[in-house]
Amino acid sequence: MRKKEMIAMLLAGGQGSRLGVLTRKVAKPAVTYGGRYRIIDFPLSNCINSGVDTVGVLTQYQPLRLNQHIGIGIPWDLDRRNGGVTILAPHVKGGDSGEWFMGTANAIYQNIDFIDSNNPEYVLILSGDHIYKMDYSAMLQFHKDRGASATIAVLEVPMEEASRFGIMNTEAEDKIYEFEEKPENPKSNLASMGIYIFTWDRLREALLEDNQVHADSDFGKHIIPKMLDEGQPLYAYRFQGYWKDVGTIESYWESNMDLIRALPEFNLYEDFWKIYTNSDHQPPQYTAPGAKVKESLITDGCEIYGEVYRSILGPGVIVKKGAVVRDSIIMCDSVIGENSVLDRTIVDEECTIGDGVQIGVGENAPNEAKPNIYYSGISVVGVKTTVPNHVTIGKNCVIYGETAFEDYPEGKLESGKSVTRGM
């Protein structure tokens, strides 16, 4: 078989538990972003823009929506007979049962046959849940020029935040001599982005050996330290540009809000590096007489009769007369009722917010059930949720399911409280 220069393996099986109710029914890479996109659109678009035309997408948690979105890869020009996109789920390899992916490197190990069938010289390992634009071909050239076994993309972070990341310590020409996972006293600020290029024969050997020792084989914990201990050449590739791990409610909201600045740091409108997605054809957006829209992204098919400020609306969203939406994210096919006011709220897909509803009022009390997820003043309405007319909801609240007026004591849900039905 003709040897391919490089293929990509895209890890898209994460549950994304820190996104709370947003990942109740979908994997994190399938969560809507920027109105019309899904998070996985960014690494997929980076691949085709970089000339990488063979991509294996490793799924595990709640894969249905993700699989439907990717399909056969048409929007990204990955519907190819030789290469293209392939969905790789845990599967039976012998005997009566299959085996879940137990770690990042274990997931690649379980798909060695797929990689071998494409006969690549290099393998690009990606995460399916980061927002960024990156030319992987430039990183590959860096890797080849140095004869590296592995090249790890790094981002310079503030030194006071370095202890939150996996840190690469380097010497001349950014050759890595040490990797530290969340060090208390970091020696550098080069944080791993979870993007790797490996020379395949060296990675293959490392995966086979490490699988005998660690069932939960992981790149950061096992493979990279193993290669360093063996004296293999590993290099840090410095990335310059916007990169965001939208792994929390706060970072997800902030990254979306970055898009609506007058001069956005992350630009979705560049012709030379487009972000592609699988989207249905929608009718044009409609803004009624008397409606107001300022500093917002409004996707096709929306109908605006009220007021929208500094917000992002997905396809088919309806904001009825008298409604006010501020600093919020409203996902596709949701309806905001008459005279309702939403402030710093994330509304998932196909939700119905009744008339006269207020969300985002009161004090900023962390959520009682999950204070580590909902703490930044953002309330979240889960997928296909119904909120009844004339209720008042505070900050850091979670609402999920077909809720009724009786679920809200005296028509109120205080900050930090939750109403969930059918979870």
Side-chain angles (χ1 to χ4, degrees):
M1 175 186 292
R2 183 175 63 86
K3 201 172 190 69
K4 281 185 174 289
E5 183 172 46
M6 183 167 74
I7 70 169
M9 299 293 281
L10 205 167
L11 300 169
Q15 182 175 354
S17 57
R18 292 179 300 160
L19 282 177
V21 73
L22 295 181
T23 50
R24 175 75 178 88
K25 295 289 187 180
V26 299
K28 180 179 169 185
V31 171
T32 298
Y33 177 85
R36 68 190 299 259
Y37 303 98
R38 297 190 185 274
I39 295 172
I40 199 170
D41 291 337
F42 293 86
L44 283 176
S45 297
N46 288 338
C47 282
I48 201 63
N49 288 332
S50 301
V52 180
D53 63 4
T54 303
V55 183
V57 179
L58 285 69
T59 64
Q60 183 156 282
Y61 171 80
Q62 294 282 16
L64 179 60
R65 181 65 62 85
L66 191 62
N67 294 351
Q68 290 173 334
H69 180 68
I70 295 172
I72 60 173
I74 292 174
W76 306 275
D77 191 26
L78 288 170
D79 54 326
R80 305 184 179 207
R81 180 172 304 213
N82 181 20
V85 65
T86 303
I87 303 294
L88 301 168
H91 55 279
V92 175
K93 301 167 185 66
D96 298 324
S97 63
E99 182 179 348
W100 292 112
F101 300 148
M102 301 298 291
T104 54
N106 176 260
I108 303 301
Y109 167 79
Q110 291 196 42
N111 287 282
I112 282 179
D113 289 347
F114 169 79
I115 300 173
D116 283 343
S117 71
N118 284 283
N119 196 25
E121 189 169 354
Y122 306 101
V123 173
L124 170 67
I125 309 294
L126 303 171
S127 172
D129 50 14
H130 297 151
I131 304 296
Y132 66 109
K133 295 180 181 180
M134 184 176 184
D135 185 353
Y136 303 134
S137 66
M139 183 176 172
L140 175 61
Q141 190 60 52
F142 177 95
H143 178 90
K144 291 162 66 176
D145 289 346
R146 286 153 183 78
S149 292
T151 297
I152 300 159
V154 297
L155 192 70
E156 293 186 26
V157 299
M159 202 66 188
E160 60 270 18
E161 297 180 17
S163 60
R164 295 171 42 218
F165 299 90
I167 296 297
M168 300 294 162
N169 297 321
T170 61
E171 50 194 26
E173 296 187 338
D174 280 332
K175 186 175 183 181
I176 300 168
Y177 69 87
E178 184 181 36
F179 170 72
E180 294 183 290
E181 181 66 38
K182 298 182 179 179
E184 288 187 17
N185 300 299
K187 300 173 187 174
S188 84
N189 66 338
L190 298 181
S192 172
M193 298 168 64
I195 299 170
Y196 316 107
I197 291 179
F198 289 95
T199 300
W200 173 232
D201 58 358
R202 299 175 195 174
L203 174 59
R204 192 181 193 282
E205 181 180 355
L207 291 172
L208 291 171
E209 291 178 359
D210 195 65
N211 182 66
Q212 303 301 314
V213 182
H214 304 109
D216 60 345
S217 185
D218 181 87
F219 285 110
K221 294 177 182 177
H222 306 124
I223 299 298
I224 292 171
K226 171 182 170 60
M227 286 184 159
L228 285 173
D229 288 345
E230 293 172 351
Q232 296 198 44
L234 275 66
Y235 286 84
Y237 177 79
R238 295 174 186 251
F239 174 71
Q240 305 290 333
Y242 185 94
W243 179 86
K244 197 85 164 184
D245 180 352
V246 288
T248 67
I249 291 293
E250 184 176 20
S251 64
Y252 173 80
W253 181 85
E254 287 177 348
S255 184
N256 273 271
M257 293 300 109
D258 285 345
L259 301 175
I260 58 178
R261 293 177 179 174
L263 294 172
E265 185 180 355
F266 188 65
N267 191 345
L268 291 175
Y269 304 103
E270 296 169 326
D271 286 336
F272 72 92
W273 200 272
K274 291 184 177 179
I275 302 300
Y276 303 94
T277 189
N278 184 355
S279 59
D280 297 330
H281 291 291
Q282 296 279 346
Q285 59 180 260
Y286 173 72
T287 304
K292 296 180 181 179
V293 178
K294 293 185 178 181
E295 295 182 82
S296 298
L297 289 181
I298 311 297
T299 313
D300 292 348
C302 290
E303 299 177 29
I304 313 299
Y305 301 90
E307 301 176 20
V308 180
Y309 304 101
R310 299 177 304 278
S311 295
I312 295 178
L313 274 56
V317 168
I318 299 174
V319 179
K320 291 188 175 181
K321 187 175 180 179
V324 179
V325 177
R326 294 192 192 94
D327 301 307
S328 295
I329 301 166
I330 315 297
M331 300 186 196
C332 69
D333 299 322
S334 290
V335 178
I336 312 302
E338 292 187 2
N339 302 313
S340 289
V341 179
L342 277 64
D343 200 348
R344 286 175 66 90
T345 303
I346 299 174
V347 178
D348 210 332
E349 302 177 19
E350 300 180 48
C351 292
T352 300
I353 309 298
D355 298 338
V357 173
Q358 294 189 60
I359 305 180
V361 300
E363 62 178 354
N364 186 27
N367 187 269
E368 292 180 354
K370 296 185 177 180
N372 59 323
I373 295 178
Y374 310 100
Y375 55 83
S376 56
I378 301 166
S379 286
V380 183
V381 181
V383 64
K384 296 184 178 180
T385 288
T386 300
V387 177
N389 297 337
H390 306 299
V391 298
T392 299
I393 297 168
K395 298 177 180 179
N396 298 315
C397 293
V398 179
I399 308 97
Y400 181 88
E402 292 192 20
T403 67
F405 191 84
E406 293 73 24
D407 295 319
Y408 302 81
E410 298 181 355
K412 295 182 179 180
L413 188 67
E414 300 293 340
S415 293
K417 302 287 187 178
S418 302
V419 173
T420 58
R421 296 289 175 264
M423 290 189 73

